[in-house]
Amino acid sequence: MSIKLTDLKSTLFAQLEALEQPRDVLKSPQLKEAYAAIPTLSPGERSTFGRDLNGLKKELMLAIESRETLMQQADLPPIDVTAPWDVNKSPASLLPVNSGSLHPLMKEKARISDIFARMGFVVEESREIDDQLHMFETLNFPKGHPARDDYDTFMTTQVDANGEALIAPAHTSTMQHRMLKKYKSNLETKNGSIAVVVPDRVFRNEDLDARHEHTFYQVEGIFVAKGVHAGMLIATLKEFLQTYYAQELDVRVNPFYFPFTEPSFEFALSCPFCEKKGCSVCSQEGWIELLGCGMIHPNVLKSAGIDPAEYTGFAFGCGIDRLVMMKYQIEDIRHFHGGKLNFLRQF
Ligand code: DAH
């Protein structure tokens, strides 16, 4: 037997690589020669050789087909993702819109917004890059204020018109000044008030672990009117949390410090999982420190042109990821951005 199938295989695959029409390899004289040799073989050799040759041909066919597919793809015009979208065409079939679903954080963000909207709050968006005026100055952190260090976040190397770096906001409180100015005219109407929540994304320069992410969500709230007091703040937050967790909860308010509120509080709620007995969710404390809040500092109202002698207000800022983790007993905050389908499919 003079034809070696291993040699024939390398010859045919080399020919395939070189051909413009991959199928032309089937016309190869060496392949024809091999088939022509079959009848000349002894009956014993004939069946093994025939079977192996057919196996080789099958392999060759697969290689031909995959080469053809590659060539067809290379012929397609490149996709321009920036090209204008023709609104009258149906969406490209490449986008599996029907098999996608909302991220759990987005679902919960919508739920939270909905609860506040039903309480009369307007829902606004924050931004992903902001300036030092909104991050610090209008929130009563003057230049060099030590509390600025508590909000370590990312900054651009490029500077704005004031020669200052731009900031990836470390909290949604950056929107307070804008919201106070935008809705200030509400105060002029009878019994008028400013009532806004801003659920959005914030950024911190954190060492990552099960409880800390560099990117997470907060919901900020402000309420300003005549005669607003801390009791209203506590009642609003309690009502919100009881609706969100769908159960009666006790709340605990401890004094704290934020430059933009006076007085400032840290707000804790009784653990929804153990009725204050202590469990792994609340680190055996029975209580969970959940958010910062307080009465809006007169300087913050003044910087937006609101007279603190006439109007008072409360503000709060609450981590959304934390709320959601507690609701579903999610043990690690990094799951949210991990992109693991096993995690996401549970919602
Ligand atoms: N911005 C604060 C933080 O991220 C939370 C906060 C505290 C927001 C008190 C407020 C507030 O509006 O009044 O740490």
Side-chain angles (χ1 to χ4, degrees), residues 151 170-173 176 204 218 220-221 258 260-261 292-294 315-317:
Y151 297 87
H171 53 174
T172 40
S173 305
Q176 283 197 12
R204 300 244 173 126
Q218 285 189 334
E220 186 79 13
F258 296 104
F260 37 96
T261 41
C293 57
F316 57 87

Side-chain angles (χ1 to χ4, degrees), residues 49 68 130 135 163 174 178 202 207 209 222 232 257 272 277 282 306 318 344:
F49 184 79
E68 281 175 346
D130 214 328
M135 176 74 211
T174 44
R178 288 192 185 90
V202 296
D207 289 332
D209 63 26
I222 52 170
M232 295 174 174
Y257 173 75
K277 289 194 192 75
C282 59
I306 296 171
C318 175
L344 297 172

Side-chain angles (χ1 to χ4, degrees), residues 32 42 49 59 116 118 150-151 157 174 180 200 204 248 257 259 262 272 276 284 290 297 336:
K32 283 195 179 144
S42 68
F49 184 79
E59 258 184 80
F116 280 115
R118 278 184 278 136
D150 295 339
Y151 297 87
T157 44
T174 44
L180 290 172
D200 220 330
R204 300 244 173 126
E248 297 260 318
Y257 173 75
E262 181 57 37
K276 287 191 262 177
Q284 309 304 327
L290 201 58
H297 196 287
F336 287 130

